[in-house]
Each structure stands twice: as C-alpha cells, then as structure tokens.
C-alpha cells in the first residue's frame, strides 16, 4: 500500500527542494510521475503510469512519462526493477545508493532493503577503473506469507 496523501505531499516537497538545491527543476510531469509512484507503494509499469497520469482520466504521451522516469531514476528518487519491467519510488532518502529488492514470485510483494553488497561492488569496480552510476540488485523468492512453511 502506498503513502497517505499528506506523506506523498511531504515527500514530493522534499524531492523538489533537493532538486532545487542541486540546480535542477522538479517539473510538473516529474512531480506527477513521482506522485503516482509514491501513492502506489509498489512497482508500477510505465504503461500504467501513462494511463493514470492525467487527473481527468486522459493518458499522458509516453515520452512525457519516460523522460520523467529517466530523471527520477537518475536522481535516485525511483528505481527500475528490470525483472518486472516496472518502476518504484525509492524508500531511502539518500540520492546515491545501490538499491536491492526482495521480490515474491508468488504474490508480487516487493521490498527495498539496504544493499550491503553495494560498497563491495563499488570497490571492485573502482579497482578496475570503473565508476558505477547506478546499481540494482533483484532477489526473487517467497515472502513470509507465501512460504510453504508459513
């Protein structure tokens, strides 16, 4: 379940302020896409964002949503979960971090957890002269409710 409306507004305002401090703009489309992700509280496919974008039921143009997602992902405000072809609002308040997700293959529950291997991966990459700009770890399995022994 997503955030309550007041929490969504607070998160949007915080994201907008952080962007402003870095000299970037939280445009209306970027804000709307982030709002939809925060309100959903779970991974959302891009085409569902496109369909839900307009407040009057009118779909957005796909490039509008994809550009917003690209910005949000670059800023660390959203993550793409490749195995689900979906996006989720980041649950951390640090812009730069490795993201790790636990994904239940039974019910689809998804949780962002600290990516402890992120520092090790960055160190290994640095040894090779590689700079990681974004890293996402996806672990699939069964959540506590769906495990056979639950």
């Amino acid at each position: 379940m997503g955030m309550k409306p007041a929490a969504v507004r607070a998160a949007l305002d915080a994201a907008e302020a952080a962007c402003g401090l870095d000299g970037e703009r939280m445009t209306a489309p970027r804000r709307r896409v982030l709002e939809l992700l925060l309100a959903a509280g779970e991974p959302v496919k891009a085409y569902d964002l496109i369909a839900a974008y307009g407040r009057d039921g009118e779909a957005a143009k796909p490039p509008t949503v994809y550009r917003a997602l690209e910005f949000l992902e670059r800023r660390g405000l959203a993550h793409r979960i490749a195995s689900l072809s979906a996006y989720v609002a980041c649950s951390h308040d640090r812009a730069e971090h490795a993201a790790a997700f636990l994904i239940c293959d039974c019910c689809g529950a998804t949780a962002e957890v600290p990516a402890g291997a992120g520092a090790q991966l960055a160190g290994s990459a640095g040894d090779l002269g590689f700079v990681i700009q974004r890293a996402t770890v996806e672990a699939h399995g069964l959540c506590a409710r769906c495990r056979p022994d639950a």
Side-chain angles (χ1 to χ4, degrees), residues 19 26 29 34 46 51 66 75-76 86 91 94 100 110-111 115 120 126:
C19 288
M26 178 64 81
L34 182 55
Y66 282 108
R75 289 286 310 174
S91 64
R94 297 184 330 269
T110 304
Q120 184 179 3

Side-chain angles (χ1 to χ4, degrees), residues 58 89 107 126 144:
E58 208 170 301
C107 71

Side-chain angles (χ1 to χ4, degrees), residues 55-125:
R55 295 187 192 277
D56 56 1
E58 208 170 301
K61 290 187 165 92
T64 300
V65 171
Y66 282 108
R67 279 193 297 266
L69 287 167
E70 180 183 312
F71 172 83
L72 296 172
E73 193 174 6
R74 181 174 51 81
R75 289 286 310 174
L77 297 168
H79 299 292
R80 181 173 187 274
I81 302 177
S83 64
L84 301 177
S85 295
Y87 295 83
V88 64
C90 180
S91 64
H92 297 286
D93 57 3
R94 297 184 330 269
E96 293 183 20
H97 67 279
F101 293 93
L102 303 177
I103 304 163
C104 180
D105 289 329
C106 180
C107 71
T110 304
E112 184 174 356
V113 296
Q120 184 179 3
L121 182 61
S124 296

Side-chain angles (χ1 to χ4, degrees), residues 1 4 10 24 35 37 50 76 84-85 100 108 111 113 115 121 128 130:
M1 172 142 200
K4 294 185 190 274
E24 297 196 76
E35 176 185 19
L37 291 173
I50 291 166
L84 301 177
S85 295
V113 296
L121 182 61
L128 298 173
F130 189 89

Side-chain angles (χ1 to χ4, degrees), residues 32 36 44 46-60 65:
R32 178 63 178 148
L36 291 169
V44 182
Y47 61 81
D48 290 329
L49 292 168
I50 291 166
Y53 182 89
R55 295 187 192 277
D56 56 1
E58 208 170 301
V65 171

